[in-house]
Amino acid sequence: MITNREPNHDMLAEYVRCRLEYVFNTVANTKPEKQPQLSNIDSRDPKNFRRGFKKVSIDGAEFKIPAQAMHVTVIRTYKCSSILISDLNFNHLPWSRAVKELEDPYFSWISYCYGNKLNFDYQIIICRYIWYMFENHIKEQKKQIPEPRIQEFRSLTWLAVQCAVYKIKNDVVLYDIKTLARLRGIKEKTWYNYFNPYWKLLLHFCYKLDWESLINVDRKRGSRN
């Protein structure tokens, strides 16, 4: 039975989406911090080279004498001067590891939908998975569809993925029926009568893959706590 014709926006789904946004956008774009180095001292500022004084007491009387000079033998910056990992990266490590442990369809979907990764292999894996679920559903329903029409539905798989991702991110439908019919070069009535039910079915399996991917990320992350 088809139930989720729209993206899932319950609290768990939105929570995982928020964490994934941090992992792919905030954490990925965080530059490593640098440890302060002696070579970073501005040699043109005389304040950095002003000799200090120290107080000494002789027979109860205090005197100021120049402090001993500081001897520095190495002032070059070492390659290991970067902090290994920031607090932000450390706090999101369980989420990053959870994503990497996903099965290929879920990993590909998360990478494309939330990481904006345009890897062609991810696109192929997603389309094959969506089409596999679509075909199984058609067989279970014992629907007789002509082979030419099946091939037409197959060619819509990637478009359905793009429309589903756009809907998930923006909560707006990318293409209405009129636009979809124009893209296929057919009349709007033809699309509505012959294509629309199966188009909605493709979208359903995209939203199903999205939900399953989010749930699996949360389970993988939870198993590490």
Side-chain angles (χ1 to χ4, degrees):
M1 182 179 178
I2 304 301
T3 56
N4 52 328
R5 296 185 183 276
E6 293 287 330
N8 196 309
H9 289 294
D10 66 10
M11 292 183 62
L12 176 59
E14 290 304 314
Y15 172 72
V16 177
R17 287 189 182 108
C18 181
R19 295 301 94 193
L20 291 175
E21 181 180 353
Y22 268 91
V23 169
F24 283 110
N25 298 320
T26 307
V27 175
N29 296 325
T30 301
K31 295 182 179 180
E33 300 178 10
K34 296 290 185 179
Q35 295 279 16
Q37 296 291 327
L38 290 175
S39 60
N40 293 334
I41 298 176
D42 188 356
S43 59
R44 295 169 297 181
D45 190 349
K47 293 181 181 179
N48 293 328
F49 300 93
R50 183 179 299 171
R51 192 168 183 178
F53 292 86
K54 65 179 181 179
K55 292 182 179 180
V56 296
S57 178
I58 301 177
D59 296 333
E62 290 188 348
F63 301 91
K64 284 186 177 181
I65 62 174
Q68 293 182 351
M70 181 183 297
H71 297 281
V72 179
T73 57
V74 179
I75 62 172
R76 62 189 177 90
T77 303
Y78 287 94
K79 293 182 179 180
C80 60
S81 60
S82 298
I83 297 177
L84 295 180
I85 187 170
S86 67
D87 291 340
L88 183 63
N89 282 321
F90 180 78
N91 292 334
H92 286 84
L93 271 178
W95 293 97
S96 301
R97 290 172 177 170
V99 171
K100 292 179 180 179
E101 292 176 359
L102 294 174
E103 297 177 6
D104 286 346
Y106 303 139
F107 176 79
S108 299
W109 178 268
I110 294 295
S111 299
Y112 173 72
C113 184
Y114 300 101
N116 300 317
K117 308 293 185 182
L118 301 180
N119 187 300
F120 183 69
D121 291 336
Y122 296 162
Q123 300 174 20
I124 293 296
I125 292 172
I126 292 170
C127 287
R128 286 177 175 173
Y129 190 77
I130 297 297
W131 186 249
Y132 170 78
M133 292 192 292
F134 181 91
E135 277 192 318
N136 280 351
H137 178 79
I138 295 299
K139 291 177 182 178
E140 290 174 359
Q141 298 297 316
K142 298 181 180 179
K143 295 183 178 180
Q144 299 297 326
I145 304 176
E147 183 62 27
R149 187 59 56 83
I150 287 290
Q151 295 305 318
E152 287 184 299
F153 296 153
R154 184 196 297 268
S155 67
L156 293 172
T157 305
W158 178 239
L159 181 61
V161 171
Q162 293 175 302
C163 290
V165 170
Y166 190 86
K167 174 71 172 178
I168 291 168
K169 290 184 173 182
N170 303 284
D171 200 25
V172 176
V173 176
L174 182 59
Y175 298 127
D176 56 14
I177 291 179
K178 184 178 181 179
T179 304
L180 290 168
R182 180 172 55 81
L183 291 174
R184 292 298 300 175
I186 59 178
K187 295 181 179 180
E188 185 176 342
K189 184 177 180 180
T190 304
W191 173 275
Y192 187 82
N193 291 334
Y194 297 102
F195 286 85
N196 203 52
Y198 298 101
W199 170 255
K200 289 184 177 180
L201 189 61
L202 287 171
L203 290 177
H204 157 73
F205 287 122
C206 291
Y207 298 141
K208 186 173 184 292
L209 176 57
D210 177 65
W211 171 244
E212 291 177 353
S213 300
L214 296 175
I215 289 298
N216 276 278
V217 170
D218 185 62
R219 287 174 179 171
K220 294 286 186 181
R221 192 266 312 177
S223 65
R224 289 184 165 274
N225 293 341

